[in-house]
Amino acid sequence: MDNTAELKLNGKTFTLPTLEGTEQERAVDVSQLRAQSGYITLDDGYGNTGSCKSKITFIDGDAGILRYRGIPIEVLAEKSSFIEVAHLLINGKLPTSAELTRFSNLLTENELLHEDMKFHFEGFPTSSHPMAILSSMINAVSCFYPELLSGDPKQHFEVESARLLSQVRTIAAFAFRKSRGLPINYPKPALKYTANFLHMMFSNPYQEYALDPVVVRALDLIFLLHADHEQNCSTATVRMVASSKANMFASCAAGVCALWGPLHGGANQAVLEMLDEIHASGDDGSKFINAAKDKKSGKKLMGFGHRVYKNYDPRAKIIKQACDDVLSKLQISDPLLDIANKLEHAALHDSYFVERKLYPNVDFYSGIIMRALKIPTEMFTVIFAIGRMPGWIANYREVMEDNSGRIYRPRQVYVGPVNQTYVPIKERK
Ligand code: SDX
């Protein structure tokens, strides 16, 4: 492969280096372009721009491939668990049995929120969206551990990441309980990550939550499938904040905010609201699909399309199969699943979607499983955030440990007014 690219500008030729990643992705390195030519690049939505080199996750959008640290998502979904995958993403390797035990014990030791955090929950209106509570409370955690905000972050990374990964679950469950006027459930050290979360969400003083292995496994799989996904909007946000040397809590709280949007992690809640709307209207989906094709309608087929996948999202395939398994094991028949299947079939045979290579993404079926697990719709994106936390922590670590790393500071092309003068207020119209 030629290791340089030539760019002709105003009769001059500039030579730029190129590079190739371990999965044969190729890039032109434009880091010296402005110094050499005075030009910058402009790339709306960063569709063609790499912000970093990373060793964590690889996606081939055309082939529908997703690998965490080189291991295919299909293999991890079948053989691994969320916490084992969290260790893989954060530490770069599958844990030995002793390492997994140590990692799991660290999560248990750090599962409790500081008792004074409870007062913050009191202050939120019960109608608060749990994503607002989650981002606020993740930042609030750092107020109780000032020692984690000083000194070399590398020194306290292990305990800080364990505290964040463990407590994101506790905060989420407490937020849900508060929203329903229910007493909070403290985590149980005897329970592992996902089972403990379900206990904190659904146990009551008069009745312990009955842990169904099918439900625990299904939610653990949902967390695992959401654990990382290259430089998506929220992960890129975490890296942006981390690049200023802000702490892990601030960086990941920013990730929660970015994830909330309905074009990103908020899509799983929007999919359920879309399916509910279609179901309530008696439409078989065809009217909605027509609206989604009409730009003027402002509607999109939520859970469809992806910036990178121009093929079926491999996670959607796994979740769709899990959907069928879980609903049949729990003996649930959900009319929304029938509508989703019909929508998918119609869209995959409609030229508008086919021409634009729009396929179901991770959010299209995940809400149906979460509904079957009795997770309320407003908590869907919170579940996504819990799952994505290991990926955010792994990316935070990559930025934090990059000693040659620079602050992320994109350029722009100014298109505003020029040569303006100051007009005294009396003369303004
Ligand atoms: C996630 O990046 C990641 O990795 C994200 C994620 C992760 O794990 O982190 O995978 C998680 O966010 C999945 C995506 C969830 N969002 C949705 O399901 C919302 C619906 N999807 C769209 O909003 C859209 O597909 C995006 C946001 C996902 C991708 O947007 P792009 O890449 O900017 O594509 P685009 O908006 O430029 O669309 C290209 C064309 C446009 O039509 P034309 O201008 O060419 O005529 O496709 C159309 C769009 O109008 N289009 C859709 C559509 N998605 C794209 N039309 C109808 N319904 C849709 N869902």
Side-chain angles (χ1 to χ4, degrees):
M1 176 188 119
D2 184 355
N3 294 331
T4 59
E6 290 197 345
L7 186 61
K8 286 190 183 353
L9 285 170
N10 304 330
K12 284 179 78 176
T13 300
F14 299 93
T15 303
L16 299 167
T18 62
L19 67 151
E20 182 171 303
T22 50
E23 289 277 4
Q24 289 72 53
E25 294 165 303
R26 295 178 181 178
V28 176
D29 180 341
V30 295
S31 50
Q32 296 308 312
L33 176 65
R34 188 170 180 276
Q36 287 181 24
S37 69
Y39 279 69
I40 64 166
T41 58
L42 186 63
D43 181 18
D44 173 41
Y46 300 126
N48 305 281
T49 298
S51 62
C52 62
K53 289 181 275 189
S54 177
K55 298 178 178 175
I56 303 169
T57 293
F58 171 72
I59 300 171
D60 178 330
D62 296 322
I65 288 172
L66 168 58
R67 299 187 187 123
Y68 292 162
R69 299 283 186 182
I71 305 176
I73 191 70
E74 294 81 2
V75 174
L76 292 167
E78 186 195 337
K79 299 179 184 297
S80 190
S81 70
F82 175 56
I83 291 310
E84 185 178 75
V85 159
H87 186 285
L88 170 68
L89 290 167
I90 295 171
N91 299 300
K93 65 188 278 288
L94 285 170
T96 61
S97 162
E99 287 167 335
L100 186 59
T101 302
R102 173 178 159 68
F103 189 57
S104 178
N105 290 343
L106 257 177
L107 293 174
T108 302
E109 288 155 24
N110 287 282
E111 63 190 8
L112 258 183
L113 296 180
H114 189 291
E115 194 61 11
D116 290 349
M117 290 272 294
K118 283 198 313 187
F119 299 115
H120 294 282
F121 285 99
E122 306 299 336
F124 292 107
T126 47
S127 59
S128 306
H129 196 289
M131 287 294 274
I133 298 174
L134 192 64
S135 58
S136 322
M137 297 299 268
I138 285 174
N139 251 322
V141 171
S142 65
C143 301
F144 293 89
Y145 306 106
E147 70 281 8
L148 295 182
L149 304 185
S150 58
D152 179 356
K154 297 185 187 71
Q155 298 307 313
H156 41 68
F157 174 83
E158 190 181 39
V159 70
E160 192 173 359
S161 54
R163 194 158 288 165
L164 179 52
L165 181 57
S166 194
Q167 293 185 14
V168 65
R169 170 192 50 163
T170 312
I171 294 167
F174 282 23
F176 168 67
R177 301 290 291 184
K178 280 290 163 196
S179 74
R180 296 293 194 278
L182 293 168
I184 58 171
N185 292 310
Y186 284 91
K188 283 186 159 181
L191 294 177
K192 293 300 176 203
Y193 195 89
T194 302
N196 217 345
F197 173 68
L198 287 164
H199 150 68
M200 288 192 275
M201 282 282 289
F202 298 121
S203 282
N204 283 306
Y206 52 87
Q207 188 180 29
E208 282 286 297
Y209 174 70
L211 286 165
D212 179 336
V214 172
V215 171
V216 177
R217 174 61 190 144
L219 184 56
D220 200 79
L221 176 63
I222 293 264
F223 286 150
L224 184 155
L225 292 172
H226 286 78
D228 196 46
H229 213 238
E230 281 194 355
Q231 298 311 309
N232 58 83
C233 179
S234 52
T235 301
T237 301
V238 169
R239 291 184 78 113
M240 170 72 81
V241 176
S243 75
S244 74
K245 302 291 180 212
N247 65 73
M248 187 192 300
F249 294 93
S251 303
C252 294
V256 171
C257 298
L259 186 73
W260 192 357
L263 294 188
H264 190 14
N268 54 21
Q269 178 174 342
V271 166
L272 249 292
E273 288 160 357
M274 172 186 75
L275 295 174
D276 266 332
E277 179 192 330
I278 293 170
H279 183 49
S281 70
D283 169 23
D284 63 359
S286 47
K287 280 201 204 94
F288 194 92
I289 282 191
N290 289 332
K293 289 155 55 175
D294 171 9
K295 298 276 186 297
K296 292 192 293 299
S297 75
K299 293 211 184 270
K300 286 184 182 286
L301 188 55
M302 301 312 278
F304 254 74
H306 199 277
R307 173 62 58 78
V308 176
Y309 289 124
K310 299 309 170 192
N311 199 324
Y312 216 103
D313 182 333
R315 302 166 298 175
K317 259 188 211 154
I318 297 167
I319 289 182
K320 183 178 178 183
Q321 182 54 54
C323 234
D324 293 339
D325 298 348
V326 169
L327 269 67
S328 62
K329 280 178 189 160
L330 298 179
Q331 294 170 335
I332 296 171
S333 71
D334 186 345
L336 299 193
L337 179 58
D338 304 334
I339 293 174
N341 282 322
K342 267 197 216 126
L343 272 181
E344 176 191 344
H345 183 267
L348 294 185
H349 292 81
D350 181 301
S351 59
Y352 172 93
F353 294 90
V354 173
E355 282 157 16
R356 291 167 178 81
K357 297 186 178 179
L358 302 176
Y359 289 87
N361 59 52
V362 68
D363 293 308
F364 191 63
Y365 288 102
S366 56
I368 294 168
I369 288 196
M370 288 192 268
R371 213 161 92 112
L373 305 182
K374 305 272 185 283
I375 307 275
T377 309
E378 75 274 12
M379 287 290 287
F380 285 3
T381 312
V382 170
I383 297 296
F384 192 147
I386 295 172
R388 185 52 53 88
M389 193 55 77
W392 288 339
I393 291 170
N395 278 273
Y396 166 84
R397 180 177 199 171
E398 219 170 42
V399 174
M400 183 261 286
E401 292 182 343
D402 178 359
N403 295 322
S404 61
R406 304 174 72 203
I407 191 168
Y408 288 18
R409 201 270 183 224
R411 293 279 178 158
Q412 63 161 33
V413 174
Y414 177 71
V415 293
V418 294
N419 302 327
Q420 301 295 293
T421 54
Y422 181 81
V423 179
I425 193 160
K426 290 192 181 66
E427 296 166 29
R428 294 173 205 163
K429 296 180 181 51

